[in-house]
Amino acid sequence: MTQYVIPALEQVSIPVVGTTARFPVQRIYCVGRNYVDHAQEMGFTGREPPFFFIKPANTVVVANAGETATVPYPTLTKDFQHEIELVACIGTGGKNIKASDAKKHIYGYAVGLDMTRRDLQGEQKKLGRPWCIGKSFDHASPIGPITQADQAGDIENAELFIQVNGKDRQRSTVTKLIWNIGEIIEHISVAWELQPGDLIYTGTPAGVAAVSVGDTMHGHVDGLTDIHVKVV
Ligand code: MN
């Protein structure tokens, strides 16, 4: 067995519906501005090529079925925002994957939140600097149990929403993705070799808004396990 000079991090993993075996997380890819109405609310229009950012695996917060997970209000921000997203979970890696073959690489899907320190992201954007401090902080990637693709129903037509304290904040359908799941995988797999365990947060619709300490977020995508996450 390999000996390490400092403690090695434990493998981050996510429960899978219908089995006790867990999904090990590799990288987390996020797609920027992938719903027209959200692109517009962020001040952009049209179908620009998709772009991506990465969060470390250990930003994952697992929201188990029937439980309320907690996310601490992060440091440095006064504008901590939710982004509800469908997450595609890669089971088979590959590079230069065609959109038409992408389904074969997807193990399953989950409901995710791409939590964002929006004020810090905005400052970095203005300065032309990386978004890391706005996006890739601790506890920034809540996610629910994974449903295997063949059990997830018609995910391409699923409705998704997030409510905060029982009130609608974002509501849309996966049909409104600018770049669909296959196209996203095609683009990512040209730039990086996808690996088993990679997660892809596919983007968020309009209505991103701030949460405060004490707020509870309820995320939903048709066919998948709902998530409940409280800001503490
Ligand atoms: Mn996002």
Side-chain angles (χ1 to χ4, degrees), residues 158-214:
E159 186 181 37
L160 73 167
F161 67 74
I162 180 171
Q163 296 179 330
V164 176
N165 304 330
K167 291 203 179 111
D168 262 30
R169 286 282 186 89
Q170 297 179 268
R171 184 176 288 270
S172 190
T173 64
V174 175
T175 56
K176 296 200 173 143
L177 283 172
I178 297 172
W179 299 94
N180 68 33
I181 299 162
E183 291 168 332
I184 292 166
I185 287 174
E186 178 167 319
H187 276 93
I188 291 179
S189 70
V190 171
W192 297 274
E193 181 169 353
L194 276 171
Q195 296 175 5
D198 286 342
L199 303 180
I200 302 172
Y201 279 60
T202 56
T204 200
V208 299
V211 286
S212 307
V213 172

Short mmCIF file of all heavy atoms in Angstrom, two decimals, residues 158-214:
data_model
loop_
_atom_site.label_atom_id
_atom_site.label_comp_id
_atom_site.label_asym_id
_atom_site.label_seq_id
_atom_site.Cartn_x
_atom_site.Cartn_y
_atom_site.Cartn_z
N ALA A 158 -37.19 17.30 -18.99
CA ALA A 158 -37.54 17.45 -17.58
C ALA A 158 -37.71 18.93 -17.21
O ALA A 158 -37.06 19.81 -17.77
CB ALA A 158 -36.45 16.83 -16.71
N GLU A 159 -38.62 19.14 -16.26
CA GLU A 159 -38.73 20.47 -15.66
C GLU A 159 -37.77 20.53 -14.49
O GLU A 159 -37.52 19.51 -13.83
CB GLU A 159 -40.16 20.72 -15.19
CG GLU A 159 -40.36 22.16 -14.70
CD GLU A 159 -41.79 22.43 -14.20
OE1 GLU A 159 -42.40 21.55 -13.57
OE2 GLU A 159 -42.26 23.56 -14.42
N LEU A 160 -37.19 21.69 -14.24
CA LEU A 160 -36.36 21.86 -13.04
C LEU A 160 -36.78 23.14 -12.33
O LEU A 160 -37.26 24.08 -12.96
CB LEU A 160 -34.87 21.85 -13.37
CG LEU A 160 -34.21 23.04 -14.07
CD1 LEU A 160 -32.69 22.92 -14.00
CD2 LEU A 160 -34.62 23.13 -15.53
N PHE A 161 -36.64 23.13 -11.01
CA PHE A 161 -36.95 24.36 -10.26
C PHE A 161 -36.17 24.38 -8.97
O PHE A 161 -35.65 23.37 -8.50
CB PHE A 161 -38.45 24.51 -10.00
CG PHE A 161 -39.06 23.49 -9.05
CD1 PHE A 161 -38.83 23.55 -7.68
CD2 PHE A 161 -39.88 22.49 -9.53
CE1 PHE A 161 -39.41 22.62 -6.81
CE2 PHE A 161 -40.46 21.55 -8.67
CZ PHE A 161 -40.21 21.62 -7.30
N ILE A 162 -36.08 25.59 -8.41
CA ILE A 162 -35.61 25.73 -7.03
C ILE A 162 -36.56 26.66 -6.31
O ILE A 162 -37.00 27.69 -6.86
CB ILE A 162 -34.15 26.25 -6.95
CG1 ILE A 162 -33.71 26.37 -5.48
CG2 ILE A 162 -33.99 27.58 -7.67
CD1 ILE A 162 -32.23 26.66 -5.30
N GLN A 163 -36.92 26.25 -5.10
CA GLN A 163 -37.69 27.11 -4.22
C GLN A 163 -36.82 27.44 -3.01
O GLN A 163 -36.04 26.60 -2.56
CB GLN A 163 -38.96 26.39 -3.76
CG GLN A 163 -39.91 26.08 -4.92
CD GLN A 163 -41.16 25.34 -4.48
OE1 GLN A 163 -41.14 24.59 -3.50
NE2 GLN A 163 -42.25 25.56 -5.20
N VAL A 164 -36.97 28.66 -2.52
CA VAL A 164 -36.28 29.05 -1.29
C VAL A 164 -37.36 29.36 -0.26
O VAL A 164 -38.24 30.20 -0.52
CB VAL A 164 -35.35 30.25 -1.53
CG1 VAL A 164 -34.72 30.71 -0.21
CG2 VAL A 164 -34.26 29.88 -2.53
N ASN A 165 -37.31 28.67 0.85
CA ASN A 165 -38.35 28.78 1.90
C ASN A 165 -39.75 28.62 1.30
O ASN A 165 -40.69 29.33 1.66
CB ASN A 165 -38.22 30.13 2.63
CG ASN A 165 -36.84 30.32 3.22
OD1 ASN A 165 -36.16 29.35 3.59
ND2 ASN A 165 -36.39 31.57 3.29
N GLY A 166 -39.87 27.69 0.33
CA GLY A 166 -41.17 27.35 -0.24
C GLY A 166 -41.62 28.24 -1.38
O GLY A 166 -42.68 28.02 -1.95
N LYS A 167 -40.82 29.25 -1.75
CA LYS A 167 -41.22 30.16 -2.83
C LYS A 167 -40.34 29.95 -4.07
O LYS A 167 -39.13 29.87 -3.96
CB LYS A 167 -41.11 31.61 -2.38
CG LYS A 167 -42.15 31.98 -1.33
CD LYS A 167 -42.41 33.50 -1.32
CE LYS A 167 -43.47 33.84 -0.29
NZ LYS A 167 -42.95 34.59 0.87
N ASP A 168 -40.98 29.92 -5.24
CA ASP A 168 -40.25 29.72 -6.49
C ASP A 168 -39.20 30.79 -6.72
O ASP A 168 -39.47 31.99 -6.57
CB ASP A 168 -41.24 29.81 -7.68
CG ASP A 168 -41.68 28.43 -8.15
OD1 ASP A 168 -41.72 27.50 -7.31
OD2 ASP A 168 -41.97 28.29 -9.35
N ARG A 169 -37.99 30.37 -7.11
CA ARG A 169 -36.94 31.30 -7.52
C ARG A 169 -36.56 31.09 -8.99
O ARG A 169 -36.39 32.04 -9.74
CB ARG A 169 -35.70 31.10 -6.64
CG ARG A 169 -35.81 31.63 -5.22
CD ARG A 169 -35.63 33.13 -5.16
NE ARG A 169 -35.60 33.65 -3.80
CZ ARG A 169 -34.50 33.77 -3.05
NH1 ARG A 169 -33.32 33.39 -3.53
NH2 ARG A 169 -34.56 34.26 -1.82
N GLN A 170 -36.34 29.83 -9.37
CA GLN A 170 -36.00 29.50 -10.75
C GLN A 170 -36.88 28.34 -11.18
O GLN A 170 -37.08 27.40 -10.40
CB GLN A 170 -34.53 29.06 -10.87
CG GLN A 170 -33.51 30.12 -10.49
CD GLN A 170 -32.09 29.58 -10.60
OE1 GLN A 170 -31.54 29.08 -9.63
NE2 GLN A 170 -31.49 29.68 -11.79
N ARG A 171 -37.39 28.40 -12.41
CA ARG A 171 -38.20 27.30 -12.94
C ARG A 171 -38.06 27.30 -14.45
O ARG A 171 -38.25 28.34 -15.09
CB ARG A 171 -39.67 27.48 -12.52
CG ARG A 171 -40.59 26.34 -12.94
CD ARG A 171 -42.01 26.55 -12.41
NE ARG A 171 -42.11 26.34 -10.98
CZ ARG A 171 -42.39 25.17 -10.39
NH1 ARG A 171 -42.57 24.09 -11.13
NH2 ARG A 171 -42.47 25.10 -9.08
N SER A 172 -37.70 26.17 -15.02
CA SER A 172 -37.51 26.08 -16.47
C SER A 172 -37.58 24.62 -16.88
O SER A 172 -37.98 23.77 -16.09
CB SER A 172 -36.15 26.70 -16.85
OG SER A 172 -36.04 26.84 -18.26
N THR A 173 -37.19 24.35 -18.11
CA THR A 173 -37.11 22.95 -18.56
C THR A 173 -35.76 22.73 -19.24
O THR A 173 -35.16 23.66 -19.79
CB THR A 173 -38.23 22.58 -19.56
OG1 THR A 173 -38.05 23.36 -20.73
CG2 THR A 173 -39.60 22.83 -18.97
N VAL A 174 -35.34 21.47 -19.22
CA VAL A 174 -34.04 21.12 -19.81
C VAL A 174 -34.04 21.37 -21.32
O VAL A 174 -32.98 21.59 -21.92
CB VAL A 174 -33.70 19.65 -19.46
CG1 VAL A 174 -32.41 19.20 -20.15
CG2 VAL A 174 -33.58 19.47 -17.94
N THR A 175 -35.22 21.41 -21.94
CA THR A 175 -35.30 21.71 -23.38
C THR A 175 -34.74 23.09 -23.70
O THR A 175 -34.38 23.37 -24.84
CB THR A 175 -36.77 21.71 -23.88
OG1 THR A 175 -37.52 22.63 -23.08
CG2 THR A 175 -37.38 20.34 -23.79
N LYS A 176 -34.66 23.96 -22.68
CA LYS A 176 -34.22 25.34 -22.93
C LYS A 176 -32.71 25.51 -22.83
O LYS A 176 -32.19 26.64 -22.93
CB LYS A 176 -34.94 26.28 -21.97
CG LYS A 176 -36.44 26.28 -22.24
CD LYS A 176 -37.16 27.49 -21.69
CE LYS A 176 -38.61 27.47 -22.14
NZ LYS A 176 -39.53 27.97 -21.11
N LEU A 177 -31.97 24.43 -22.61
CA LEU A 177 -30.52 24.52 -22.67
C LEU A 177 -30.09 25.05 -24.03
O LEU A 177 -30.59 24.60 -25.07
CB LEU A 177 -29.88 23.13 -22.47
CG LEU A 177 -29.83 22.56 -21.06
CD1 LEU A 177 -29.35 21.11 -21.11
CD2 LEU A 177 -28.92 23.39 -20.16
N ILE A 178 -29.16 26.00 -24.06
CA ILE A 178 -28.63 26.50 -25.33
C ILE A 178 -27.83 25.39 -26.01
O ILE A 178 -28.00 25.09 -27.17
CB ILE A 178 -27.75 27.75 -25.10
CG1 ILE A 178 -28.59 28.89 -24.52
CG2 ILE A 178 -27.06 28.16 -26.40
CD1 ILE A 178 -27.78 30.10 -24.07
N TRP A 179 -26.94 24.77 -25.23
CA TRP A 179 -26.16 23.61 -25.69
C TRP A 179 -26.68 22.41 -24.93
O TRP A 179 -26.62 22.40 -23.69
CB TRP A 179 -24.67 23.84 -25.44
CG TRP A 179 -24.15 25.03 -26.16
CD1 TRP A 179 -24.02 26.30 -25.69
CD2 TRP A 179 -23.69 25.07 -27.52
NE1 TRP A 179 -23.53 27.13 -26.67
CE2 TRP A 179 -23.32 26.40 -27.80
CE3 TRP A 179 -23.58 24.11 -28.54
CZ2 TRP A 179 -22.83 26.79 -29.05
CZ3 TRP A 179 -23.08 24.51 -29.78
CH2 TRP A 179 -22.72 25.83 -30.02
N ASN A 180 -27.21 21.42 -25.65
CA ASN A 180 -27.79 20.27 -24.95
C ASN A 180 -26.69 19.37 -24.38
O ASN A 180 -25.49 19.59 -24.60
CB ASN A 180 -28.78 19.53 -25.84
CG ASN A 180 -28.11 18.84 -27.02
OD1 ASN A 180 -26.97 18.37 -26.92
ND2 ASN A 180 -28.81 18.77 -28.14
N ILE A 181 -27.10 18.35 -23.65
CA ILE A 181 -26.13 17.54 -22.91
C ILE A 181 -25.11 16.89 -23.86
O ILE A 181 -23.91 16.88 -23.58
CB ILE A 181 -26.87 16.47 -22.07
CG1 ILE A 181 -27.80 17.17 -21.06
CG2 ILE A 181 -25.88 15.56 -21.35
CD1 ILE A 181 -28.87 16.26 -20.48
N GLY A 182 -25.58 16.38 -24.98
CA GLY A 182 -24.67 15.76 -25.94
C GLY A 182 -23.66 16.76 -26.49
O GLY A 182 -22.46 16.47 -26.59
N GLU A 183 -24.15 17.95 -26.82
CA GLU A 183 -23.26 18.99 -27.36
C GLU A 183 -22.24 19.45 -26.32
O GLU A 183 -21.07 19.73 -26.64
CB GLU A 183 -24.09 20.18 -27.83
CG GLU A 183 -24.93 19.86 -29.07
CD GLU A 183 -25.98 20.92 -29.39
OE1 GLU A 183 -26.45 21.62 -28.47
OE2 GLU A 183 -26.34 21.04 -30.57
N ILE A 184 -22.67 19.53 -25.06
CA ILE A 184 -21.75 19.91 -23.99
C ILE A 184 -20.61 18.89 -23.89
O ILE A 184 -19.43 19.26 -23.82
CB ILE A 184 -22.49 19.99 -22.63
CG1 ILE A 184 -23.49 21.14 -22.63
CG2 ILE A 184 -21.50 20.13 -21.48
CD1 ILE A 184 -24.48 21.06 -21.46
N ILE A 185 -20.99 17.62 -23.89
CA ILE A 185 -19.98 16.56 -23.77
C ILE A 185 -19.04 16.58 -24.97
O ILE A 185 -17.83 16.40 -24.84
CB ILE A 185 -20.68 15.19 -23.59
CG1 ILE A 185 -21.26 15.12 -22.17
CG2 ILE A 185 -19.72 14.03 -23.87
CD1 ILE A 185 -22.10 13.91 -21.86
N GLU A 186 -19.59 16.85 -26.15
CA GLU A 186 -18.74 16.96 -27.34
C GLU A 186 -17.70 18.07 -27.15
O GLU A 186 -16.51 17.86 -27.37
CB GLU A 186 -19.60 17.22 -28.59
CG GLU A 186 -18.76 17.39 -29.85
CD GLU A 186 -19.59 17.35 -31.14
OE1 GLU A 186 -20.52 16.52 -31.25
OE2 GLU A 186 -19.29 18.16 -32.03
N HIS A 187 -18.16 19.23 -26.69
CA HIS A 187 -17.23 20.36 -26.51
C HIS A 187 -16.20 20.09 -25.41
O HIS A 187 -15.02 20.37 -25.58
CB HIS A 187 -18.02 21.64 -26.19
CG HIS A 187 -18.54 22.34 -27.40
ND1 HIS A 187 -19.81 22.10 -27.91
CD2 HIS A 187 -17.96 23.24 -28.23
CE1 HIS A 187 -19.99 22.85 -28.99
NE2 HIS A 187 -18.89 23.56 -29.20
N ILE A 188 -16.66 19.59 -24.27
CA ILE A 188 -15.72 19.36 -23.16
C ILE A 188 -14.66 18.34 -23.55
O ILE A 188 -13.47 18.51 -23.28
CB ILE A 188 -16.45 18.88 -21.89
CG1 ILE A 188 -17.32 20.00 -21.31
CG2 ILE A 188 -15.45 18.40 -20.83
CD1 ILE A 188 -18.10 19.60 -20.07
N SER A 189 -15.10 17.28 -24.24
CA SER A 189 -14.20 16.16 -24.48
C SER A 189 -13.18 16.44 -25.58
O SER A 189 -12.27 15.65 -25.81
CB SER A 189 -14.99 14.89 -24.81
OG SER A 189 -15.61 15.00 -26.07
N VAL A 190 -13.33 17.60 -26.26
CA VAL A 190 -12.27 18.05 -27.16
C VAL A 190 -11.17 18.75 -26.36
O VAL A 190 -9.98 18.60 -26.63
CB VAL A 190 -12.84 19.01 -28.23
CG1 VAL A 190 -11.71 19.66 -29.04
CG2 VAL A 190 -13.78 18.27 -29.17
N ALA A 191 -11.60 19.47 -25.33
CA ALA A 191 -10.66 20.25 -24.53
C ALA A 191 -9.98 19.41 -23.46
O ALA A 191 -8.82 19.65 -23.10
CB ALA A 191 -11.38 21.42 -23.88
N TRP A 192 -10.71 18.44 -22.89
CA TRP A 192 -10.18 17.57 -21.84
C TRP A 192 -10.61 16.15 -22.15
O TRP A 192 -11.68 15.94 -22.71
CB TRP A 192 -10.78 17.95 -20.47
CG TRP A 192 -10.47 19.30 -19.97
CD1 TRP A 192 -9.36 19.68 -19.26
CD2 TRP A 192 -11.27 20.48 -20.09
NE1 TRP A 192 -9.43 21.02 -18.94
CE2 TRP A 192 -10.59 21.53 -19.44
CE3 TRP A 192 -12.50 20.76 -20.69
CZ2 TRP A 192 -11.09 22.83 -19.37
CZ3 TRP A 192 -13.01 22.05 -20.63
CH2 TRP A 192 -12.31 23.07 -19.98
N GLU A 193 -9.80 15.18 -21.73
CA GLU A 193 -10.27 13.80 -21.81
C GLU A 193 -11.18 13.55 -20.63
O GLU A 193 -10.75 13.64 -19.47
CB GLU A 193 -9.09 12.82 -21.79
CG GLU A 193 -9.55 11.37 -21.90
CD GLU A 193 -8.42 10.38 -22.14
OE1 GLU A 193 -7.27 10.83 -22.37
OE2 GLU A 193 -8.69 9.17 -22.10
N LEU A 194 -12.44 13.29 -20.89
CA LEU A 194 -13.38 13.03 -19.79
C LEU A 194 -12.99 11.74 -19.08
O LEU A 194 -12.53 10.79 -19.72
CB LEU A 194 -14.81 12.95 -20.31
CG LEU A 194 -15.52 14.30 -20.47
CD1 LEU A 194 -16.84 14.13 -21.20
CD2 LEU A 194 -15.72 15.00 -19.13
N GLN A 195 -13.18 11.73 -17.78
CA GLN A 195 -12.84 10.56 -16.98
C GLN A 195 -14.08 10.05 -16.25
O GLN A 195 -14.97 10.84 -15.91
CB GLN A 195 -11.76 10.94 -15.94
CG GLN A 195 -10.46 11.37 -16.59
CD GLN A 195 -9.44 11.86 -15.57
OE1 GLN A 195 -9.66 11.81 -14.36
NE2 GLN A 195 -8.31 12.34 -16.08
N PRO A 196 -14.12 8.74 -15.99
CA PRO A 196 -15.22 8.22 -15.17
C PRO A 196 -15.21 8.94 -13.83
O PRO A 196 -14.16 9.10 -13.22
CB PRO A 196 -14.87 6.74 -14.98
CG PRO A 196 -13.85 6.42 -16.03
CD PRO A 196 -13.13 7.71 -16.34
N GLY A 197 -16.37 9.39 -13.41
CA GLY A 197 -16.44 10.13 -12.14
C GLY A 197 -16.52 11.63 -12.33
O GLY A 197 -16.76 12.36 -11.37
N ASP A 198 -16.33 12.11 -13.55
CA ASP A 198 -16.49 13.54 -13.80
C ASP A 198 -17.98 13.92 -13.73
O ASP A 198 -18.84 13.17 -14.20
CB ASP A 198 -15.95 13.92 -15.19
CG ASP A 198 -14.42 13.93 -15.24
OD1 ASP A 198 -13.79 13.99 -14.16
OD2 ASP A 198 -13.88 13.88 -16.36
N LEU A 199 -18.24 15.07 -13.13
CA LEU A 199 -19.60 15.61 -13.08
C LEU A 199 -19.66 16.80 -14.03
O LEU A 199 -18.69 17.55 -14.15
CB LEU A 199 -19.94 16.11 -11.67
CG LEU A 199 -19.85 15.12 -10.52
CD1 LEU A 199 -20.23 15.81 -9.20
CD2 LEU A 199 -20.75 13.92 -10.76
N ILE A 200 -20.80 16.97 -14.68
CA ILE A 200 -21.01 18.15 -15.53
C ILE A 200 -22.26 18.88 -15.06
O ILE A 200 -23.38 18.37 -15.22
CB ILE A 200 -21.14 17.77 -17.01
CG1 ILE A 200 -19.89 17.02 -17.48
CG2 ILE A 200 -21.36 19.03 -17.86
CD1 ILE A 200 -20.01 16.43 -18.88
N TYR A 201 -22.06 20.05 -14.46
CA TYR A 201 -23.18 20.94 -14.12
C TYR A 201 -23.54 21.68 -15.40
O TYR A 201 -22.71 22.40 -15.95
CB TYR A 201 -22.76 21.91 -13.02
CG TYR A 201 -22.80 21.35 -11.60
CD1 TYR A 201 -22.04 20.24 -11.23
CD2 TYR A 201 -23.60 21.93 -10.62
CE1 TYR A 201 -22.08 19.74 -9.93
CE2 TYR A 201 -23.65 21.44 -9.32
CZ TYR A 201 -22.88 20.35 -8.99
OH TYR A 201 -22.91 19.85 -7.70
N THR A 202 -24.78 21.48 -15.89
CA THR A 202 -25.09 21.85 -17.27
C THR A 202 -25.54 23.30 -17.46
O THR A 202 -25.82 23.71 -18.58
CB THR A 202 -26.18 20.91 -17.83
OG1 THR A 202 -27.32 20.93 -16.97
CG2 THR A 202 -25.65 19.50 -17.95
N GLY A 203 -25.61 24.07 -16.37
CA GLY A 203 -26.01 25.47 -16.51
C GLY A 203 -27.33 25.73 -15.82
O GLY A 203 -28.05 24.80 -15.46
N THR A 204 -27.62 27.02 -15.63
CA THR A 204 -28.79 27.39 -14.84
C THR A 204 -29.69 28.35 -15.59
O THR A 204 -29.21 29.18 -16.38
CB THR A 204 -28.34 28.02 -13.49
OG1 THR A 204 -29.41 27.95 -12.55
CG2 THR A 204 -27.92 29.49 -13.66
N PRO A 205 -31.01 28.25 -15.39
CA PRO A 205 -31.94 29.19 -16.01
C PRO A 205 -32.01 30.52 -15.25
O PRO A 205 -31.31 30.70 -14.24
CB PRO A 205 -33.29 28.46 -15.95
CG PRO A 205 -33.17 27.52 -14.80
CD PRO A 205 -31.70 27.17 -14.67
N ALA A 206 -32.84 31.43 -15.71
CA ALA A 206 -32.97 32.75 -15.09
C ALA A 206 -33.51 32.64 -13.67
O ALA A 206 -34.12 31.63 -13.30
CB ALA A 206 -33.89 33.64 -15.92
N GLY A 207 -33.28 33.69 -12.90
CA GLY A 207 -33.84 33.77 -11.56
C GLY A 207 -32.83 33.54 -10.45
O GLY A 207 -33.21 33.41 -9.29
N VAL A 208 -31.54 33.50 -10.81
CA VAL A 208 -30.52 33.35 -9.77
C VAL A 208 -30.67 34.51 -8.79
O VAL A 208 -30.94 35.63 -9.18
CB VAL A 208 -29.09 33.32 -10.37
CG1 VAL A 208 -28.94 32.13 -11.30
CG2 VAL A 208 -28.74 34.60 -11.11
N ALA A 209 -30.54 34.19 -7.51
CA ALA A 209 -30.75 35.22 -6.49
C ALA A 209 -30.06 34.80 -5.20
O ALA A 209 -29.63 33.66 -5.04
CB ALA A 209 -32.25 35.44 -6.26
N ALA A 210 -30.00 35.74 -4.29
CA ALA A 210 -29.23 35.53 -3.06
C ALA A 210 -29.99 34.72 -2.03
O ALA A 210 -31.22 34.75 -1.96
CB ALA A 210 -28.84 36.89 -2.48
N VAL A 211 -29.24 34.00 -1.21
CA VAL A 211 -29.77 33.34 -0.02
C VAL A 211 -29.04 33.87 1.21
O VAL A 211 -27.92 34.39 1.11
CB VAL A 211 -29.64 31.80 -0.09
CG1 VAL A 211 -30.65 31.21 -1.06
CG2 VAL A 211 -28.22 31.38 -0.46
N SER A 212 -29.71 33.74 2.35
CA SER A 212 -29.17 34.22 3.62
C SER A 212 -29.12 33.06 4.60
O SER A 212 -29.76 32.02 4.39
CB SER A 212 -30.08 35.31 4.21
OG SER A 212 -30.29 36.32 3.26
N VAL A 213 -28.42 33.27 5.69
CA VAL A 213 -28.39 32.27 6.77
C VAL A 213 -29.82 31.98 7.22
O VAL A 213 -30.60 32.91 7.44
CB VAL A 213 -27.53 32.78 7.94
CG1 VAL A 213 -27.65 31.85 9.14
CG2 VAL A 213 -26.07 32.90 7.51
N GLY A 214 -30.15 30.70 7.33
CA GLY A 214 -31.49 30.29 7.74
C GLY A 214 -32.39 29.89 6.59
O GLY A 214 -33.41 29.23 6.81
#
